[in-house]
Amino acid sequence: MPSDADRTRQYYDALGEREWTRLTDSVAGRVAFEVHRRFLARFVRAGDRVLEIGAGPGRFTLELAALGARIVVTDLSPVQLELNRRHVGPTDAERRVEQRIECDVRDTAGFGDGAFDAVVAFGGPLSYAFEEAEQAVRGLLRVVGPRGVVLASVMSTLGTWRQALPSVTGVAERVGDEVNDAVLADGDLRLIDRTEHACRMFRWRQLRDLVEQAGGRVVAASASNWASLGDPSVLEPLERDPDRWRHFLDNEVGACAEPGALDGGTHLIFAATSAA
Ligand SMILES: C[S@@+](CC[C@H](N)C(=O)[O-])C[C@H]1O[C@@H](n2cnc3c(N)ncnc32)[C@H](O)[C@@H]1O
């Protein structure tokens, strides 16, 4: 039977180039990108050495390079790593890339203690670590040492329910309320089907507990979306007007950081440091 890592690798190898448009082909995706981008800019400084985990085709590799970071680019999927080379390679950002290597977020033992100023694991690598998520976070905190920061985002259980209401309701009809309730409680999509895109979603309090159990402390948090998971037909005209769009984004970023909004987006974003 294939392991969780094999299944995830196969999924992202097969997804290939379609991962490149995840954050551009819908208005909610474009807002999620902007919220992540601004979060990154709060913590990463020019000259920082950054370990990017689950970098995919490179949306945030380009952003890290623009911030002046030096980046070690990693991913579980060799296809995604190659796509990263294809998208970033021909740009000026490539000068900021130190290395590209395959790496599973569960195993960062090959990197030294405090070797990086920051780790960036956006778009869910920790959602694929399942039972080893605590060990994974512990490893990320170790490689940034006592002064560094871990920046990551994971899939949100409640935000996904909100965004994908028809499909979640369909799942409940297909697998029964008991299984669907267990998924809503634990976020573990393996309960539905191990052969599909299985990942672990989180509620905010579960994520905070995970970070604390791994010896960390959350220093900032945000949802990836708030109002932008609403009606796209309202948002798209707004997006065509640069001033009104900037104003909307400013309000959206503020709303996403409210404690009452953290569970409301497709992803939960956090910054964590060592608690010690
Ligand atoms: C949704 S994509 C996000 C890509 C990019 N970070 C972004 O936010 O646009 C998730 C990426 O994480 C990678 N990934 C999944 N599980 C992983 C794991 N256990 N360790 C490292 N990377 C993983 C996938 O191969 C994929 O490239």
Side-chain angles (χ1 to χ4, degrees):
M1 204 169 95
S3 66
D4 288 328
D6 291 337
R7 270 200 312 274
T8 307
R9 189 183 297 105
Q10 281 161 15
Y11 175 81
Y12 278 102
D13 280 354
L15 191 65
E17 183 68 20
R18 278 172 293 160
E19 174 55 30
W20 177 243
T21 54
R22 180 178 69 90
L23 293 169
T24 54
D25 60 9
S26 71
V27 69
R30 292 189 288 276
V31 172
F33 174 71
E34 181 64 16
V35 175
H36 277 82
R37 202 180 71 79
R38 292 193 192 188
F39 201 84
L40 207 58
R42 280 171 61 189
F43 292 96
V44 176
R45 298 280 159 264
D48 280 357
R49 185 163 188 251
V50 176
L51 174 62
E52 193 181 8
I53 300 267
R59 290 268 169 220
F60 292 106
T61 312
L62 294 170
E63 292 303 317
L64 286 165
L67 290 169
R70 295 171 291 140
I71 315 141
V72 173
V73 173
T74 73
D75 203 287
L76 179 71
S77 153
V79 171
Q80 292 298 328
L81 214 48
E82 184 49 38
L83 285 168
N84 188 289
R85 192 186 311 280
R86 212 178 297 164
H87 285 285
V88 179
T91 72
D92 285 350
E94 185 65 11
R95 282 182 293 143
R96 315 294 312 173
V97 174
E98 284 186 11
Q99 252 187 308
R100 278 189 185 81
I101 36 181
E102 281 176 43
C103 171
D104 188 326
V105 69
R106 298 168 180 89
D107 181 10
T108 47
F111 302 107
D113 294 1
F116 296 94
D117 299 294
V119 164
V120 174
F122 277 171
L126 288 169
S127 276
Y128 300 98
F130 298 108
E131 286 73 19
E132 288 141 293
E134 185 183 321
Q135 163 196 323
V137 175
R138 204 175 283 283
L140 302 185
L141 289 166
R142 182 189 64 77
V143 301
V144 298
R147 283 182 298 281
V149 66
V150 173
L151 307 168
S153 66
V154 297
M155 281 65 142
S156 159
T157 306
L158 299 183
T160 300
W161 185 14
R162 197 155 88 96
Q163 186 207 27
L165 181 62
S167 112
V168 175
T169 306
V171 166
E173 280 165 18
R174 183 159 60 85
V175 300
D177 278 336
E178 201 177 320
V179 175
N180 196 53
D181 288 355
V183 173
L184 285 177
D186 293 340
D188 191 340
L189 285 169
R190 294 175 304 179
L191 292 167
I192 298 175
D193 194 341
R194 282 185 174 257
T195 62
E196 283 181 6
H197 176 210
C199 67
R200 160 97 202 267
M201 305 175 294
F202 289 83
R203 292 176 188 234
W204 165 245
R205 59 181 163 75
Q206 295 167 332
L207 183 60
R208 188 199 48 212
D209 289 351
L210 170 70
V211 170
E212 289 177 2
Q213 280 153 14
R217 189 167 63 91
V218 173
V219 294
S222 175
S224 60
N225 313 83
W226 175 248
S228 57
L229 285 193
D231 189 344
S233 71
V234 177
L235 292 168
E236 277 158 6
L238 210 58
E239 195 181 13
R240 288 195 285 275
D241 179 331
D243 289 338
R244 291 186 72 206
W245 188 238
R246 201 173 313 109
H247 193 76
F248 172 81
L249 288 174
D250 290 347
N251 282 332
E252 179 78 344
V253 167
C256 284
E258 289 289 343
L262 293 179
D263 280 298
T266 57
H267 289 72
L268 297 155
I269 311 172
F270 69 92
T273 58
S274 219

